[in-house]
Amino acid sequence: MQRKITRRIMAGNLAIGGGADISVQSMCNTKTQNVEETLGQIEALCKAGCDIVRLAVPDNEAARVLPEIRKNCKIPLVADIHFDYKLAIAAAKAGFDKIRINPGNIGSEEKVRELARACQENGAAIRVGVNSGSIPSDLLREYGNTPKALCESALRHIRLLEKADFKDICVSLKSSDVSGTVEACRMMSGLTDYPLHLGITESGTPYSGLVKSSVGIGTLLMEGIGDTIRVSLTADPVEEVRAGIAILKAAGLRRCGVNIISCPTCGRTDIDLISLTEKVEALLSGIEKPITVAVMGCAVNGPGEAREADYGIAGGRGEGLLFKNGEIIKKVSEDELAPELLKMIQSDTL
Amino acid sequence: MQRKITRRIMAGNLAIGGGADISVQSMCNTKTQNVEETLGQIEALCKAGCDIVRLAVPDNEAARVLPEIRKNCKIPLVADIHFDYKLAIAAAKAGFDKIRINPGNIGSEEKVRELARACQENGAAIRVGVNSGSIPSDLLREYGNTPKALCESALRHIRLLEKADFKDICVSLKSSDVSGTVEACRMMSGLTDYPLHLGITESGTPYSGLVKSSVGIGTLLMEGIGDTIRVSLTADPVEEVRAGIAILKAAGLRRCGVNIISCPTCGRTDIDLISLTEKVEALLSGIEKPITVAVMGCAVNGPGEAREADYGIAGGRGEGLLFKNGEIIKKVSEDELAPELLKMIQSDTL
């Protein structure tokens, strides 16, 4: 698939857009001023593979601790600010790498210029982020609650920054409605070269939120749209990172760790494939090399259907075949399948 | 989104294609000949909302029980057959509504004609289903393992049926690779008007398989492609139905039950939003009317951001607001939020 090449911006040492790898974001749900707790969550997010972390900065209490947080972690940080441009300037001065703020909400063009100057001087980018829930009333009147209204709303904020000669901009257009989000981002991608941050807002619980985000973000990625993603889940933010990485892997945009392909069990299966697959997934979870492992229910379809897999198991009755690059290596008993597979992979990756 | 209008076929009383609602399929993983167990699983799948169920028919033992199974359930049934066209004819005669078989694999044009006749006489449709793992070697040589090879492989089978004057055809092109599947289906959708059955084959465990299927099936649906879907998971088939319905809901193609939108918790949240949302999801799971319910972390963003929701909660400190169509109805304590919401919805839907 051909990715749309956007303007490249930097969030610290992380490139967003311009063909850079698509990054995964999440947001702490700690009170930012609880520095220890916030740093602990940032560390957990880093460990899960997060590329960029956002913190809420609703007031001075939160703004005050930003320098300390910045000093004590290395990951690119984003400050989430709603109306008070002084908090945004404080975040830029604290060394935050990106500020999420909508310049149309901060009061005057003079304030926008001041904000843009502070971001330029401190090397911070700005994300303009519009949601279907906060479209200005004149745009709602003109366009209704439509993708067009979302785009116009984002363009208004962008023009304010451009007027202040600021172009290190990333844009998000989010709706809790998947179709609305997809259409708005498709439209925006045609209207601007700024990198796009993708997400479905308020997507919900770990299950339905995962599906909504996979469908929405996934569709855009599969159409070559999007430069950085954030899965919003009402859950531990670490789950957002896991989901983001899984979406990128599914879209073929990130290769890391084990990709398990496994057949649904069917009337032909003689082995307990569900628990075998779970065992394989757990045993191989520590492997970082990008490999594809097939866990197939029957020997007939196994190595053939899964010939693109690097390694594989084909189950039989109480036993199974281990295969590698489509070649059968050996037959082992059901209990030994997962550990023997791990051994084989480990001896190859050492 | 504009859906591609395909030729309509019938599987029993279920229309597939031609603008019909997109149906959700799954496949039993019982031994088909264990009639009681198979019927039990069919019932569980129906209860989960499945629209069409497939059974493996690998041999005569399985074929023999098909009339009994057909007699004892109402849902459209599909027989999954690999090489033996006599099993396919037996399934059609047993009243099965669709046969999954690739006519290029059954031996001769005469056999294809015999199969087509049996299907026509008994009102059975045929699904041609090609997988990236079983592309004929001449096509692999000519096109490599590409979407084009998958399409050509499917077209070959289709032409055999057309030659036998059979057109009640549904087509699937599956790869365990999401991008490969998406590209093949996009291509096929441009080449033929037969309805498409979508799925990612061997998509894996409940988590990564859910993400792969949501990205792959979701992308195609969001582009207007696809008439019936099956999520393959290495899990209880009921999970496949749950996933299929969730994907259709996310894509805006099915409205049923409660759609929960809930914000990710953030530094502004003063309420235990994760457990509140889970409680709301559980309490409202029995509601069939299609309604959107917002569970928002803070009163500031709550009713505004979620104004499109039919009902909602906006959390505060130890309490929260209940709202309906964007209007605040009342303030209640944290413990009472979920039950009061349920009461409000129930009194409206009675």
Side-chain angles (χ1 to χ4, degrees), chain A residues 65-89:
Chain A
V65 301
L66 300 183
E68 189 183 347
I69 290 175
R70 176 64 293 178
K71 220 172 21 201
N72 286 288
C73 66
K74 289 196 171 126
I75 193 166
L77 291 173
V78 187
D80 193 74
I81 287 150
H82 279 245
F83 300 101
D84 187 344
Y85 83 115
K86 291 203 167 140
L87 297 175
I89 291 173

PDB file of all heavy atoms in Angstrom, chain A residues 65-89:
ATOM      1  N   VAL A  65       4.860  20.654  37.971  1.00  0.00           N
ATOM      2  CA  VAL A  65       5.724  19.460  38.077  1.00  0.00           C
ATOM      3  C   VAL A  65       6.290  19.017  36.724  1.00  0.00           C
ATOM      4  O   VAL A  65       7.069  18.064  36.657  1.00  0.00           O
ATOM      5  CB  VAL A  65       4.979  18.260  38.722  1.00  0.00           C
ATOM      6  CG1 VAL A  65       4.488  18.630  40.116  1.00  0.00           C
ATOM      7  CG2 VAL A  65       3.828  17.798  37.837  1.00  0.00           C
ATOM      8  N   LEU A  66       5.912  19.705  35.644  1.00  0.00           N
ATOM      9  CA  LEU A  66       6.340  19.248  34.316  1.00  0.00           C
ATOM     10  C   LEU A  66       7.867  19.185  34.161  1.00  0.00           C
ATOM     11  O   LEU A  66       8.388  18.206  33.594  1.00  0.00           O
ATOM     12  CB  LEU A  66       5.701  20.102  33.211  1.00  0.00           C
ATOM     13  CG  LEU A  66       4.157  20.086  33.172  1.00  0.00           C
ATOM     14  CD1 LEU A  66       3.653  20.922  31.983  1.00  0.00           C
ATOM     15  CD2 LEU A  66       3.599  18.668  33.086  1.00  0.00           C
ATOM     16  N   PRO A  67       8.616  20.192  34.664  1.00  0.00           N
ATOM     17  CA  PRO A  67      10.081  20.095  34.511  1.00  0.00           C
ATOM     18  C   PRO A  67      10.645  18.852  35.206  1.00  0.00           C
ATOM     19  O   PRO A  67      11.515  18.172  34.661  1.00  0.00           O
ATOM     20  CB  PRO A  67      10.593  21.375  35.189  1.00  0.00           C
ATOM     21  CG  PRO A  67       9.436  22.329  35.168  1.00  0.00           C
ATOM     22  CD  PRO A  67       8.205  21.467  35.287  1.00  0.00           C
ATOM     23  N   GLU A  68      10.095  18.549  36.369  1.00  0.00           N
ATOM     24  CA  GLU A  68      10.598  17.384  37.107  1.00  0.00           C
ATOM     25  C   GLU A  68      10.292  16.084  36.345  1.00  0.00           C
ATOM     26  O   GLU A  68      11.135  15.190  36.252  1.00  0.00           O
ATOM     27  CB  GLU A  68       9.950  17.350  38.496  1.00  0.00           C
ATOM     28  CG  GLU A  68      10.586  16.309  39.407  1.00  0.00           C
ATOM     29  CD  GLU A  68       9.891  16.233  40.759  1.00  0.00           C
ATOM     30  OE1 GLU A  68       9.088  17.143  41.071  1.00  0.00           O
ATOM     31  OE2 GLU A  68      10.148  15.250  41.494  1.00  0.00           O
ATOM     32  N   ILE A  69       9.110  16.001  35.794  1.00  0.00           N
ATOM     33  CA  ILE A  69       8.746  14.803  35.026  1.00  0.00           C
ATOM     34  C   ILE A  69       9.621  14.693  33.785  1.00  0.00           C
ATOM     35  O   ILE A  69      10.157  13.632  33.470  1.00  0.00           O
ATOM     36  CB  ILE A  69       7.241  14.829  34.661  1.00  0.00           C
ATOM     37  CG1 ILE A  69       6.416  14.611  35.938  1.00  0.00           C
ATOM     38  CG2 ILE A  69       6.908  13.764  33.616  1.00  0.00           C
ATOM     39  CD1 ILE A  69       4.919  14.740  35.751  1.00  0.00           C
ATOM     40  N   ARG A  70       9.799  15.840  33.102  1.00  0.00           N
ATOM     41  CA  ARG A  70      10.623  15.847  31.877  1.00  0.00           C
ATOM     42  C   ARG A  70      12.047  15.345  32.169  1.00  0.00           C
ATOM     43  O   ARG A  70      12.617  14.575  31.393  1.00  0.00           O
ATOM     44  CB  ARG A  70      10.649  17.262  31.300  1.00  0.00           C
ATOM     45  CG  ARG A  70      11.530  17.501  30.082  1.00  0.00           C
ATOM     46  CD  ARG A  70      11.110  16.733  28.847  1.00  0.00           C
ATOM     47  NE  ARG A  70      11.269  15.275  28.981  1.00  0.00           N
ATOM     48  CZ  ARG A  70      10.938  14.395  28.071  1.00  0.00           C
ATOM     49  NH1 ARG A  70      10.389  14.791  26.940  1.00  0.00           N
ATOM     50  NH2 ARG A  70      11.116  13.109  28.256  1.00  0.00           N
ATOM     51  N   LYS A  71      12.574  15.769  33.318  1.00  0.00           N
ATOM     52  CA  LYS A  71      13.945  15.412  33.681  1.00  0.00           C
ATOM     53  C   LYS A  71      14.101  13.917  33.947  1.00  0.00           C
ATOM     54  O   LYS A  71      15.170  13.359  33.773  1.00  0.00           O
ATOM     55  CB  LYS A  71      14.339  16.196  34.940  1.00  0.00           C
ATOM     56  CG  LYS A  71      15.751  16.713  34.902  1.00  0.00           C
ATOM     57  CD  LYS A  71      16.097  17.655  36.059  1.00  0.00           C
ATOM     58  CE  LYS A  71      15.172  17.509  37.264  1.00  0.00           C
ATOM     59  NZ  LYS A  71      15.176  18.694  38.126  1.00  0.00           N
ATOM     60  N   ASN A  72      13.032  13.294  34.386  1.00  0.00           N
ATOM     61  CA  ASN A  72      13.141  11.922  34.881  1.00  0.00           C
ATOM     62  C   ASN A  72      12.653  10.827  33.936  1.00  0.00           C
ATOM     63  O   ASN A  72      12.466   9.683  34.356  1.00  0.00           O
ATOM     64  CB  ASN A  72      12.441  11.797  36.234  1.00  0.00           C
ATOM     65  CG  ASN A  72      13.256  12.461  37.326  1.00  0.00           C
ATOM     66  OD1 ASN A  72      14.302  11.943  37.714  1.00  0.00           O
ATOM     67  ND2 ASN A  72      12.823  13.631  37.768  1.00  0.00           N
ATOM     68  N   CYS A  73      12.433  11.182  32.675  1.00  0.00           N
ATOM     69  CA  CYS A  73      12.126  10.141  31.695  1.00  0.00           C
ATOM     70  C   CYS A  73      12.608  10.595  30.331  1.00  0.00           C
ATOM     71  O   CYS A  73      12.885  11.778  30.122  1.00  0.00           O
ATOM     72  CB  CYS A  73      10.636   9.813  31.686  1.00  0.00           C
ATOM     73  SG  CYS A  73       9.604  11.170  31.121  1.00  0.00           S
ATOM     74  N   LYS A  74      12.734   9.627  29.420  1.00  0.00           N
ATOM     75  CA  LYS A  74      13.340   9.976  28.125  1.00  0.00           C
ATOM     76  C   LYS A  74      12.341  10.029  26.972  1.00  0.00           C
ATOM     77  O   LYS A  74      12.630  10.567  25.914  1.00  0.00           O
ATOM     78  CB  LYS A  74      14.414   8.928  27.788  1.00  0.00           C
ATOM     79  CG  LYS A  74      15.639   9.069  28.679  1.00  0.00           C
ATOM     80  CD  LYS A  74      16.821   8.312  28.098  1.00  0.00           C
ATOM     81  CE  LYS A  74      18.101   8.616  28.850  1.00  0.00           C
ATOM     82  NZ  LYS A  74      18.773   7.400  29.332  1.00  0.00           N
ATOM     83  N   ILE A  75      11.192   9.428  27.166  1.00  0.00           N
ATOM     84  CA  ILE A  75      10.223   9.310  26.069  1.00  0.00           C
ATOM     85  C   ILE A  75       9.661  10.692  25.687  1.00  0.00           C
ATOM     86  O   ILE A  75       9.508  11.552  26.553  1.00  0.00           O
ATOM     87  CB  ILE A  75       9.086   8.337  26.497  1.00  0.00           C
ATOM     88  CG1 ILE A  75       8.231   7.936  25.292  1.00  0.00           C
ATOM     89  CG2 ILE A  75       8.232   8.926  27.604  1.00  0.00           C
ATOM     90  CD1 ILE A  75       7.322   6.748  25.575  1.00  0.00           C
ATOM     91  N   PRO A  76       9.373  10.939  24.420  1.00  0.00           N
ATOM     92  CA  PRO A  76       8.718  12.193  24.033  1.00  0.00           C
ATOM     93  C   PRO A  76       7.408  12.382  24.797  1.00  0.00           C
ATOM     94  O   PRO A  76       6.629  11.446  24.942  1.00  0.00           O
ATOM     95  CB  PRO A  76       8.471  12.015  22.533  1.00  0.00           C
ATOM     96  CG  PRO A  76       9.516  11.059  22.082  1.00  0.00           C
ATOM     97  CD  PRO A  76       9.725  10.119  23.239  1.00  0.00           C
ATOM     98  N   LEU A  77       7.199  13.598  25.288  1.00  0.00           N
ATOM     99  CA  LEU A  77       6.036  13.879  26.126  1.00  0.00           C
ATOM    100  C   LEU A  77       5.149  14.948  25.485  1.00  0.00           C
ATOM    101  O   LEU A  77       5.638  15.904  24.889  1.00  0.00           O
ATOM    102  CB  LEU A  77       6.489  14.378  27.504  1.00  0.00           C
ATOM    103  CG  LEU A  77       7.178  13.359  28.415  1.00  0.00           C
ATOM    104  CD1 LEU A  77       7.711  14.061  29.670  1.00  0.00           C
ATOM    105  CD2 LEU A  77       6.224  12.234  28.809  1.00  0.00           C
ATOM    106  N   VAL A  78       3.861  14.767  25.665  1.00  0.00           N
ATOM    107  CA  VAL A  78       2.871  15.711  25.142  1.00  0.00           C
ATOM    108  C   VAL A  78       2.062  16.265  26.308  1.00  0.00           C
ATOM    109  O   VAL A  78       1.652  15.515  27.190  1.00  0.00           O
ATOM    110  CB  VAL A  78       1.887  14.998  24.186  1.00  0.00           C
ATOM    111  CG1 VAL A  78       0.964  16.003  23.510  1.00  0.00           C
ATOM    112  CG2 VAL A  78       2.628  14.167  23.157  1.00  0.00           C
ATOM    113  N   ALA A  79       1.845  17.558  26.302  1.00  0.00           N
ATOM    114  CA  ALA A  79       0.995  18.169  27.325  1.00  0.00           C
ATOM    115  C   ALA A  79      -0.390  18.400  26.740  1.00  0.00           C
ATOM    116  O   ALA A  79      -0.525  18.966  25.655  1.00  0.00           O
ATOM    117  CB  ALA A  79       1.598  19.495  27.780  1.00  0.00           C
ATOM    118  N   ASP A  80      -1.400  17.957  27.460  1.00  0.00           N
ATOM    119  CA  ASP A  80      -2.776  18.100  26.992  1.00  0.00           C
ATOM    120  C   ASP A  80      -3.415  19.307  27.668  1.00  0.00           C
ATOM    121  O   ASP A  80      -3.646  19.294  28.885  1.00  0.00           O
ATOM    122  CB  ASP A  80      -3.558  16.833  27.364  1.00  0.00           C
ATOM    123  CG  ASP A  80      -4.891  16.761  26.649  1.00  0.00           C
ATOM    124  OD1 ASP A  80      -4.868  16.472  25.448  1.00  0.00           O
ATOM    125  OD2 ASP A  80      -5.932  17.011  27.285  1.00  0.00           O
ATOM    126  N   ILE A  81      -3.688  20.331  26.870  1.00  0.00           N
ATOM    127  CA  ILE A  81      -4.166  21.581  27.447  1.00  0.00           C
ATOM    128  C   ILE A  81      -5.439  22.027  26.751  1.00  0.00           C
ATOM    129  O   ILE A  81      -5.570  21.912  25.530  1.00  0.00           O
ATOM    130  CB  ILE A  81      -3.055  22.649  27.339  1.00  0.00           C
ATOM    131  CG1 ILE A  81      -1.981  22.293  28.376  1.00  0.00           C
ATOM    132  CG2 ILE A  81      -3.586  24.048  27.583  1.00  0.00           C
ATOM    133  CD1 ILE A  81      -0.620  22.705  28.015  1.00  0.00           C
ATOM    134  N   HIS A  82      -6.378  22.537  27.543  1.00  0.00           N
ATOM    135  CA  HIS A  82      -7.638  22.869  26.911  1.00  0.00           C
ATOM    136  C   HIS A  82      -7.844  24.329  26.561  1.00  0.00           C
ATOM    137  O   HIS A  82      -8.116  24.660  25.424  1.00  0.00           O
ATOM    138  CB  HIS A  82      -8.802  22.242  27.676  1.00  0.00           C
ATOM    139  CG  HIS A  82      -8.949  20.808  27.283  1.00  0.00           C
ATOM    140  ND1 HIS A  82     -10.037  20.324  26.637  1.00  0.00           N
ATOM    141  CD2 HIS A  82      -8.063  19.786  27.337  1.00  0.00           C
ATOM    142  CE1 HIS A  82      -9.841  19.043  26.341  1.00  0.00           C
ATOM    143  NE2 HIS A  82      -8.649  18.702  26.769  1.00  0.00           N
ATOM    144  N   PHE A  83      -7.680  25.224  27.538  1.00  0.00           N
ATOM    145  CA  PHE A  83      -7.976  26.617  27.196  1.00  0.00           C
ATOM    146  C   PHE A  83      -6.850  27.585  27.566  1.00  0.00           C
ATOM    147  O   PHE A  83      -6.668  28.604  26.916  1.00  0.00           O
ATOM    148  CB  PHE A  83      -9.285  27.059  27.873  1.00  0.00           C
ATOM    149  CG  PHE A  83     -10.446  26.229  27.457  1.00  0.00           C
ATOM    150  CD1 PHE A  83     -10.943  25.208  28.267  1.00  0.00           C
ATOM    151  CD2 PHE A  83     -11.041  26.434  26.218  1.00  0.00           C
ATOM    152  CE1 PHE A  83     -12.002  24.423  27.858  1.00  0.00           C
ATOM    153  CE2 PHE A  83     -12.106  25.648  25.795  1.00  0.00           C
ATOM    154  CZ  PHE A  83     -12.587  24.647  26.615  1.00  0.00           C
ATOM    155  N   ASP A  84      -6.106  27.245  28.612  1.00  0.00           N
ATOM    156  CA  ASP A  84      -5.166  28.210  29.173  1.00  0.00           C
ATOM    157  C   ASP A  84      -3.817  28.151  28.464  1.00  0.00           C
ATOM    158  O   ASP A  84      -2.995  27.282  28.725  1.00  0.00           O
ATOM    159  CB  ASP A  84      -5.011  27.918  30.675  1.00  0.00           C
ATOM    160  CG  ASP A  84      -4.196  28.978  31.377  1.00  0.00           C
ATOM    161  OD1 ASP A  84      -3.508  29.768  30.693  1.00  0.00           O
ATOM    162  OD2 ASP A  84      -4.236  29.001  32.617  1.00  0.00           O
ATOM    163  N   TYR A  85      -3.578  29.139  27.582  1.00  0.00           N
ATOM    164  CA  TYR A  85      -2.346  29.101  26.785  1.00  0.00           C
ATOM    165  C   TYR A  85      -1.106  29.263  27.641  1.00  0.00           C
ATOM    166  O   TYR A  85      -0.016  28.897  27.227  1.00  0.00           O
ATOM    167  CB  TYR A  85      -2.407  30.150  25.669  1.00  0.00           C
ATOM    168  CG  TYR A  85      -2.031  31.545  26.086  1.00  0.00           C
ATOM    169  CD1 TYR A  85      -0.898  32.162  25.555  1.00  0.00           C
ATOM    170  CD2 TYR A  85      -2.786  32.248  27.009  1.00  0.00           C
ATOM    171  CE1 TYR A  85      -0.548  33.445  25.924  1.00  0.00           C
ATOM    172  CE2 TYR A  85      -2.446  33.517  27.384  1.00  0.00           C
ATOM    173  CZ  TYR A  85      -1.326  34.121  26.847  1.00  0.00           C
ATOM    174  OH  TYR A  85      -0.972  35.381  27.228  1.00  0.00           O
ATOM    175  N   LYS A  86      -1.259  29.818  28.846  1.00  0.00           N
ATOM    176  CA  LYS A  86      -0.087  29.960  29.728  1.00  0.00           C
ATOM    177  C   LYS A  86       0.418  28.595  30.182  1.00  0.00           C
ATOM    178  O   LYS A  86       1.619  28.383  30.365  1.00  0.00           O
ATOM    179  CB  LYS A  86      -0.439  30.834  30.933  1.00  0.00           C
ATOM    180  CG  LYS A  86      -0.648  32.278  30.498  1.00  0.00           C
ATOM    181  CD  LYS A  86      -0.455  33.254  31.633  1.00  0.00           C
ATOM    182  CE  LYS A  86      -0.362  34.662  31.052  1.00  0.00           C
ATOM    183  NZ  LYS A  86      -1.094  35.640  31.888  1.00  0.00           N
ATOM    184  N   LEU A  87      -0.507  27.684  30.380  1.00  0.00           N
ATOM    185  CA  LEU A  87      -0.094  26.318  30.734  1.00  0.00           C
ATOM    186  C   LEU A  87       0.679  25.709  29.571  1.00  0.00           C
ATOM    187  O   LEU A  87       1.652  24.980  29.762  1.00  0.00           O
ATOM    188  CB  LEU A  87      -1.319  25.452  31.058  1.00  0.00           C
ATOM    189  CG  LEU A  87      -2.162  25.867  32.263  1.00  0.00           C
ATOM    190  CD1 LEU A  87      -3.409  24.989  32.371  1.00  0.00           C
ATOM    191  CD2 LEU A  87      -1.345  25.783  33.558  1.00  0.00           C
ATOM    192  N   ALA A  88       0.244  26.019  28.352  1.00  0.00           N
ATOM    193  CA  ALA A  88       0.920  25.487  27.163  1.00  0.00           C
ATOM    194  C   ALA A  88       2.338  26.035  27.071  1.00  0.00           C
ATOM    195  O   ALA A  88       3.296  25.300  26.785  1.00  0.00           O
ATOM    196  CB  ALA A  88       0.123  25.847  25.912  1.00  0.00           C
ATOM    197  N   ILE A  89       2.476  27.317  27.328  1.00  0.00           N
ATOM    198  CA  ILE A  89       3.809  27.931  27.280  1.00  0.00           C
ATOM    199  C   ILE A  89       4.695  27.326  28.371  1.00  0.00           C
ATOM    200  O   ILE A  89       5.871  27.012  28.147  1.00  0.00           O
ATOM    201  CB  ILE A  89       3.686  29.467  27.419  1.00  0.00           C
ATOM    202  CG1 ILE A  89       3.028  30.008  26.132  1.00  0.00           C
ATOM    203  CG2 ILE A  89       5.040  30.114  27.667  1.00  0.00           C
ATOM    204  CD1 ILE A  89       2.683  31.484  26.184  1.00  0.00           C
TER     205      ILE A  89
END
